[in-house]
Amino acid sequence: MLDAIRWDADLIHRYDQVAPRYMTYPTPVQFSGKLGSFDLLHALRRSRQANRPLALYVHLPFCTKACYYCRCNKVITDDRSRALPYLERLEKEIELIACHLGDDQVVEQLHVGGGTPTFLSHGELRRVMAHLHRHFHLQDDDHADISIEIDPREADWPTMGLLRELGFNRVSIGLPDLDPDVQRTINRLQTLQQTQTIIEAARTLQYRTIDLDLLYGLPLQTPETFARTLETVIALQPDRISVSSYMHSPERYMAQRRINAADLPSDEQLLAMRQHAVKQLGRSGYRYIGMDHFALPDDELAMAQEDGTLQRNYQGYTTHGHCDLIGLGVSAISQIGDLYVQNNSDLTLYQQALDQGQLPTVRGVRCSQDDQIRKHVIQALLCNFELHIGELEALYKIDFKTYFQANWPALEQMAADGLIVLSEDVLRIQPAGRLLASVVCMQFDHYLPSRPVPYMSRAI
């Protein structure tokens, strides 16, 4: 079993800084308009020829109310009729993509996100799933990972029953904070009872995984109020808990301009919240998976990390990183072989492209061998907290120390400080350094100097 993480205040004060989240590498900052639908079609054909398994992501962008903290690509409207024109274009995109894939390419993972997916009516949800089943080979024996993001204010027992009937077996529930004052400042009034109802429904209906997503660093939050929220959440015993830091970027996200910066917690309060969360979750039996995520020891992610098979893609930590990921819907990202591409983030332009019979792919990046090497290192460090240097050298025919010679002094300093262990055979992140894993990964990020710092969040 992996050693538990350890809070080292001195190490954190020395190394905490803004850092990429590294859902994968290269990050979307490196996407350019030089790649588009033509490149995607060629990648799909190569996927079909190799008969690679698939993962799907479907983006449903609609919400009835704006949560001021949110950074997702969304459309705020209480007009439910706006969903139908979007679904008609989404169905066309599904058809254009699926015709380039093989009938025997199995979809092992499907995630529906947003926005608020349950903005759709029950009939519209049935329609989306029926269209996906018609054009993709989805596993329908409940062994595939079929997940959906849930806003408890927009779901109830009948909705959960419908989703289970449609094949969903995992739910991710948003719960930024339970304190009423904090909820008012972020325009998200959500009662504990609403959240409990969805969790009870999920357990009764035998969903396999329940994931709760918390935020710290919100306006009017204090270490004491956040500790109470966390204690209540732990008592609900979800399988997974994410504890992410709020990133205040009002210059980029218009809704965040409704938040008074003077109400945000201080740096000292942020660290206190994070420290308490780490310790309290550990005492309650949750394992630190990495990058804000915790899971119970019998959860699939924890077990995959234990046996060294955990992976990471644009959906986060996964056991299906070997699949080609196809993103469907406005702003969705696909990861197919060595190609990453993204759909247009503008809803009108997304729909116009499909009306013209064209895929809405507008930008992307193709991984070079250097990208592949660095991605291998970053993925190993974020998923397993260690890199087996000999395996990397054999796979890519390189000498590790020579290849990363420019980074060697910084790595040696990290080793001297107790952040990592560095030897000829292994680079291992110590228990005291695992909360800073993204900072270690920055040493292997070739693009970092050109990355816009305001769009990153702090490592802690």
Side-chain angles (χ1 to χ4, degrees):
M1 175 180 285
L2 286 173
D3 294 333
I5 57 174
R6 183 167 62 84
W7 185 273
D8 186 319
D10 180 62
L11 207 57
I12 287 167
H13 280 291
R14 194 178 313 172
Y15 281 99
D16 185 26
Q17 60 183 289
V18 291
R21 307 311 292 164
Y22 292 121
M23 302 299 281
T24 189
Y25 181 88
T27 70
V29 175
Q30 303 309 321
F31 290 6
S32 78
K34 296 179 181 178
L35 296 173
S37 58
F38 183 79
D39 304 277
L40 172 58
L41 292 177
H42 277 280
L44 292 172
R45 294 186 186 113
R46 288 193 294 271
S47 179
R48 180 188 64 209
Q49 291 164 358
N51 195 30
R52 290 196 291 265
L54 302 174
L56 302 180
Y57 171 71
V58 179
H59 190 73
L60 303 176
F62 301 102
C63 295
T64 56
K65 296 179 181 178
C67 300
Y68 297 158
Y69 60 85
C70 183
R71 295 183 292 150
C72 298
N73 184 288
K74 58 196 176 295
V75 176
I76 307 300
T77 179
D78 56 8
D79 180 4
R80 305 276 173 167
S81 68
R82 291 191 64 181
L84 183 57
Y86 180 77
L87 294 185
E88 291 172 344
R89 276 45 170 243
L90 180 65
E91 289 174 348
K92 190 171 293 186
E93 183 185 8
I94 289 169
E95 294 163 10
L96 289 173
I97 291 285
C99 69
H100 295 282
L101 296 166
D103 293 336
D104 51 352
Q105 285 186 266
V106 176
V107 175
E108 297 183 4
Q109 184 181 40
L110 166 66
H111 182 72
V112 178
T116 305
T118 48
F119 178 95
L120 272 60
S121 69
H122 287 195
E124 288 167 337
L125 287 167
R126 287 185 184 277
R127 175 174 173 166
V128 170
M129 290 303 292
H131 209 72
L132 289 170
H133 276 282
R134 193 174 300 123
H135 292 279
F136 292 101
H137 181 187
L138 273 70
Q139 283 183 300
D140 54 6
D141 55 3
D142 211 33
H143 289 301
D145 289 343
I146 312 295
S147 60
I148 187 168
E149 295 170 12
I150 295 289
D151 180 343
R153 304 169 302 167
E154 290 277 349
D156 52 18
W157 266 85
T159 300
M160 295 299 288
L162 169 74
L163 293 173
R164 193 70 183 95
E165 176 193 332
L166 294 176
F168 289 93
N169 51 31
R170 301 180 186 271
V171 289
S172 179
I173 301 171
L175 180 64
D177 193 282
L178 281 169
D179 184 87
D181 291 332
V182 174
Q183 290 185 353
R184 278 189 285 272
T185 67
I186 61 175
N187 198 39
R188 184 167 176 134
L189 296 174
Q190 177 179 333
T191 67
L192 175 60
Q193 181 59 48
Q194 288 173 317
T195 305
Q196 286 175 319
T197 297
I198 298 304
I199 291 176
E200 289 168 6
R203 290 214 167 97
T204 303
L205 295 167
Q206 298 183 323
Y207 283 77
R208 290 213 308 265
T209 303
I210 299 170
D211 188 335
L212 274 181
D213 302 326
L214 296 173
L215 277 175
Y216 69 98
L218 294 171
L220 301 187
Q221 257 181 353
T222 67
E224 293 73 26
T225 62
F226 186 68
R228 288 196 292 270
T229 290
L230 185 61
E231 183 179 359
T232 303
V233 164
I234 289 172
L236 297 173
Q237 281 292 285
D239 303 280
R240 302 171 186 172
I241 298 175
S242 68
V243 186
S244 306
S245 61
Y246 166 66
M247 184 181 74
H248 191 58
S249 301
E251 71 284 352
R252 188 179 189 196
Y253 304 104
M254 189 174 297
Q256 291 187 1
R257 297 171 193 173
R258 305 291 296 273
I259 291 175
N260 184 355
D263 291 335
L264 296 174
S266 66
D267 289 344
E268 290 75 18
Q269 288 177 312
L270 286 173
L271 279 177
M273 291 181 208
R274 183 62 165 171
Q275 182 177 12
H276 175 79
V278 167
K279 292 184 176 180
Q280 181 62 19
L281 286 164
R283 285 196 298 265
S284 302
Y286 284 87
R287 286 269 306 278
Y288 181 65
I289 301 301
M291 301 300 287
D292 308 328
H293 285 70
F294 297 79
L296 292 172
D298 59 352
D299 181 80
E300 186 178 77
L301 293 184
M303 292 189 291
Q305 188 175 62
E306 194 66 43
D307 63 25
T309 60
L310 186 64
Q311 297 165 298
R312 192 165 169 81
N313 64 14
Y314 279 112
Q315 300 310 307
Y317 285 105
T318 179
T319 57
H320 299 279
H322 60 285
C323 297
D324 280 338
L325 172 64
I326 296 174
L328 301 163
V330 62
S331 76
I333 293 176
S334 298
Q335 181 178 342
I336 304 171
D338 64 354
L339 180 73
Y340 303 155
V341 290
Q342 185 173 24
N343 285 348
N344 204 310
S345 296
D346 182 285
L347 180 63
T348 300
L349 296 178
Y350 165 84
Q351 295 187 155
Q352 285 178 354
L354 289 160
D355 286 342
Q356 296 166 7
Q358 300 174 354
L359 286 170
T361 315
V362 292
R363 66 190 198 118
V365 66
R366 191 181 303 280
C367 291
S368 64
Q369 175 159 310
D370 179 66
D371 292 333
Q372 296 283 6
I373 292 169
R374 294 171 187 274
K375 176 185 173 182
H376 182 113
V377 173
I378 290 170
Q379 179 132 152
L381 295 176
L382 291 184
C383 294
N384 304 312
F385 301 118
E386 69 176 16
L387 169 72
H388 294 285
I389 292 173
E391 293 179 6
L392 178 79
E393 291 178 327
L395 183 61
Y396 293 102
K397 307 294 188 293
I398 63 168
D399 177 79
F400 181 77
K401 186 173 181 179
T402 301
Y403 199 88
F404 295 107
Q405 186 175 8
N407 309 94
W408 208 254
L411 292 172
E412 288 183 321
Q413 184 61 55
M414 287 180 171
D417 291 338
L419 186 66
I420 63 174
V421 169
L422 182 63
S423 70
E424 291 184 3
D425 303 317
V426 69
L427 191 166
R428 180 181 300 112
I429 300 178
Q430 296 280 61
R434 288 177 186 163
L435 292 168
L436 297 160
S438 58
V439 176
V440 180
C441 291
M442 289 171 69
Q443 295 300 321
F444 302 96
D445 186 340
H446 174 73
Y447 301 103
L448 194 59
S450 63
R451 194 184 312 279
V453 172
Y455 301 161
M456 299 188 289
S457 57
R458 298 197 73 85
I460 299 294

